[in-house]
């Protein structure tokens, strides 16, 4: 299982601190709900690609002493199973939709095929966004047939509610994030 945590720092600082980051103490198991602190079970490395650099970072893992299942704590600037950071993906999707100007200065952006992949995934998850926001905040998105208009509206809405926190709440509520399969 994956839980998000806002470390309040950027990718570079997180990478520099490595295993010395201020990792949270998990006081309750999200699997079995045992109210006993989880044991720090180790770390694994993963990539975090930003528009301006690539980093190898440590992700902490915990294990419940009751059910023996593990929990990984993912920094909120990452998405599960994606190497590019949330902000990098968000940037290229907005650029592709014409919501911001292109930044050709950044050497580590996804390829054209990668950008199209993220945009298609975002389009495919518009109904999940609609469902989540309707249940969580009683916000119903526009009913228009053009995907680009709907996507633009949802991008603005997610930014107004705080992209990181909205995605964290979606994940914790059992909804997929906007780029999930």
């Amino acid at each position: 299982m994956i839980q998000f945590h806002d470390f309040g720092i950027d990718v570079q600082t997180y990478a520099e601190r490595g295993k010395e980051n201020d990792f949270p103490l998990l006081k309750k198991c999200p699997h079995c709900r045992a109210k006993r602190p989880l044991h720090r079970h180790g770390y694994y490395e993963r990539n975090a690609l930003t528009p301006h650099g690539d980093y190898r970072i440590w992700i902490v893992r915990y294990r419940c002493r009751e059910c023996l299942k593990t929990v990984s704590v993912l920094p909120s600037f990452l998405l599960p199973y994606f190497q590019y950071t949330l902000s990098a993906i968000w940037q290229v999707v907005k650029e592709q939709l014409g919501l911001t100007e292109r930044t050709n200065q950044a050497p580590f952006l996804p390829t054209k095929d990668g950008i199209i992949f993220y945009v298609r995934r975002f389009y495919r998850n518009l109904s999940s966004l609609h469902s989540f926001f309707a249940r969580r905040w009683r916000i119903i998105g526009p009913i228009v047939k053009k995907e680009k208009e709907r996507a633009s509206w949802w991008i603005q809405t997610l930014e107004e509610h705080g992209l990181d926190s909205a995605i964290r709440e979606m994940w914790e509520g059992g909804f997929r994030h906007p780029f999930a399969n």
Side-chain angles (χ1 to χ4, degrees):
M1 175 177 278
I2 295 170
Q3 283 194 348
F4 287 103
H5 180 71
D6 183 3
F7 285 85
I9 55 177
D10 62 3
V11 183
Q12 184 176 357
T13 306
Y14 184 95
E16 288 169 358
R17 289 183 182 173
K19 293 180 180 178
E20 301 303 316
N21 274 298
D22 188 17
F23 295 108
L25 174 64
L26 301 183
K27 296 180 181 179
K28 182 171 125 180
C29 178
H31 296 286
C32 70
R33 304 285 184 221
K35 293 182 181 178
R36 183 175 172 190
L38 276 69
H39 170 71
R40 191 174 298 177
H41 186 57
Y43 302 87
Y44 65 90
E45 276 189 292
R46 66 165 282 177
N47 293 321
L49 306 177
T50 70
H52 302 289
D54 60 332
Y55 304 92
R56 286 293 285 171
I57 62 171
W58 291 101
I59 304 298
V60 67
R61 294 182 71 193
Y62 295 89
R63 187 171 186 189
C64 176
R65 294 173 195 222
E66 302 293 323
C67 69
L68 304 178
K69 292 186 178 178
T70 61
V71 179
S72 297
V73 176
L74 203 62
S76 58
F77 53 75
L78 293 175
L79 290 173
Y81 317 112
F82 286 78
Q83 291 191 57
Y84 281 97
T85 60
L86 174 58
S87 62
I89 295 170
W90 200 248
Q91 174 186 333
V92 297
V93 168
K94 286 176 67 172
E95 289 173 4
Q96 185 69 25
L97 295 175
L99 301 175
T100 59
E101 290 187 29
R102 296 197 186 276
T103 54
N104 295 330
Q105 317 285 19
F108 291 101
L109 287 176
T111 63
K112 276 194 187 268
D113 288 341
I115 294 168
I116 290 168
F117 168 83
Y118 293 127
V119 171
R120 285 184 180 154
R121 281 280 182 93
F122 190 70
Y123 281 169
R124 200 175 327 153
N125 286 310
L126 291 176
S127 59
S128 291
L129 285 171
H130 179 91
S131 229
F132 172 75
F133 272 82
R135 289 182 190 170
R136 177 70 174 95
W137 288 304
R138 307 271 188 248
I139 295 173
I140 297 178
I143 302 173
V144 294
K145 294 191 184 217
K146 294 182 181 177
E147 283 184 321
K148 186 175 179 180
E149 288 179 31
R150 287 178 58 215
S152 298
W153 190 89
W154 281 111
I155 284 172
Q156 181 182 352
T157 302
L158 282 164
E159 287 177 343
E160 287 171 1
H161 284 83
L163 180 61
D164 292 354
S165 61
I167 288 177
R168 186 171 50 244
E169 284 189 45
M170 288 178 74
W171 187 263
E172 290 169 358
F175 286 84
R176 303 179 308 194
H177 63 77
F179 303 103
N181 188 9

